[in-house]
Amino acid sequence: GDSVTQMEGPVTLSEEAFLTINCTYTATGYPSLFWYVQYPGEGLQLLLKATKADDKGSNKGFEATYRKETTSFHLEKGSVQVSDSAVYFCALAGGGADGLTFGKGTHLIIQP
Amino acid sequence: EAGVAQSPRYKIIEKRQSVAFWCNPISGHATLYWYQQILGQGPKLLIQFQNNGVVDDSQLPKDRFSAERLKGVDSTLKIQPAKLEDSAVYLCASSLYQGAQYTEAFFGQGTRLTVV
């Protein structure tokens, strides 16, 4: 079945550091890929998405590129802020209205 | 626009008791999902409804879990009898249905269940 593997946390960085959170996936066909974020005390929110190979999703300074050849969708941000502290989930969906398959999540802590 | 509403926010029950969770999706959203999120793990899909019909319940433990979506709007998820390993956050999500085109799923804040 489909699966998502993302780097274990917590990841602790200083403000303005460069961020990479690795995500790789296993799926049949051509899934859509997503990053969701969960801020403390809030529900899951879609951060960005990519629906086909070589697409780049971006939002709030974060970006990720759908790499079919390496089955990866790594999340990056050039300069993180304390407000980016949250849990980040990589996910995939096999079809348009399919349920999501999530990774285990990566807890990101940004120190001032 | 109102988001996905869930209740209760927290519930503590003893093992072997029963419990029910309620979800009201975003108005007009045909697709509704229930996910289980165990501490330290990502959410796992339990069941997916399209209007009031079940699309996918392959990961729902049907000996103890049941769910319904009457009139294609609100949904309830029930556990009877509960086990210790059912302790988790239960998330409801909804999305528009546009055939093969992906539409974003919006999540509620979840119900945190503790079974003691």
Side-chain angles (χ1 to χ4, degrees):
Chain A
D2 296 348
S3 66
V4 174
T5 302
Q6 61 182 106
M7 60 191 293
E8 299 282 331
V11 173
T12 303
L13 296 173
S14 297
E15 206 166 19
E16 299 183 4
F18 184 86
L19 168 71
T20 300
I21 300 178
N22 291 335
C23 171
T24 57
Y25 67 90
T26 302
T28 55
Y30 303 96
S32 296
L33 302 174
F34 312 91
W35 278 99
Y36 276 79
V37 60
Q38 189 167 35
Y39 297 105
E42 299 185 17
L44 276 168
Q45 303 172 29
L46 179 64
L47 180 61
L48 55 84
K49 70 179 188 290
T51 57
K52 60 183 187 295
D54 299 325
D55 269 2
K56 178 185 284 188
S58 61
N59 186 26
K60 299 182 181 180
F62 291 89
E63 57 183 34
T65 301
Y66 189 144
R67 300 288 188 198
K68 186 170 180 292
E69 64 276 13
T70 55
T71 61
S72 64
F73 193 56
H74 305 321
L75 183 68
E76 296 182 335
K77 186 174 186 183
S79 177
V80 293
Q81 305 300 313
V82 172
S83 57
D84 294 327
S85 298
V87 181
Y88 292 80
F89 293 92
C90 186
L92 68 81
D98 282 4
L100 294 158
T101 298
F102 286 88
K104 290 187 175 182
T106 301
H107 187 193
L108 176 65
I109 301 168
I110 307 300
Q111 297 177 332
Chain B
E1 175 180 87
V4 176
Q6 290 188 247
S7 67
R9 288 295 310 278
Y10 306 92
K11 190 74 177 179
I12 301 174
I13 62 171
E14 295 183 350
K15 59 184 179 183
R16 291 187 290 274
Q17 284 188 324
S18 63
V19 64
F21 313 126
W22 174 82
C23 173
N24 179 240
I26 293 173
S27 178
H29 280 195
T31 307
L32 185 146
Y33 313 84
W34 283 102
Y35 289 85
Q36 179 193 57
Q37 185 176 13
I38 293 173
L39 186 64
Q41 299 183 19
K44 181 183 83 171
L45 179 68
L46 292 176
I47 189 167
Q48 176 184 346
F49 291 94
Q50 187 67 33
N51 296 307
N52 60 351
V54 175
V55 174
D56 182 1
D57 63 356
S58 58
Q59 298 191 87
L60 187 74
K62 298 181 186 62
D63 57 334
R64 298 183 301 106
F65 285 65
S66 64
E68 60 181 7
R69 189 182 185 197
L70 299 177
K71 300 181 181 178
V73 181
D74 292 3
S75 177
T76 56
L77 176 69
K78 297 179 182 177
I79 308 175
Q80 181 179 10
K83 293 185 175 181
L84 295 176
E85 59 261 35
D86 298 332
S87 294
V89 175
Y90 290 85
L91 297 167
C92 180
S94 70
S95 68
L96 287 169
Y97 177 69
Q98 293 182 343
Q101 182 179 358
Y102 173 75
T103 58
E104 178 181 350
F106 294 84
F107 284 80
Q109 290 203 297
T111 297
R112 182 179 297 277
L113 173 68
T114 302
V115 182
V116 298

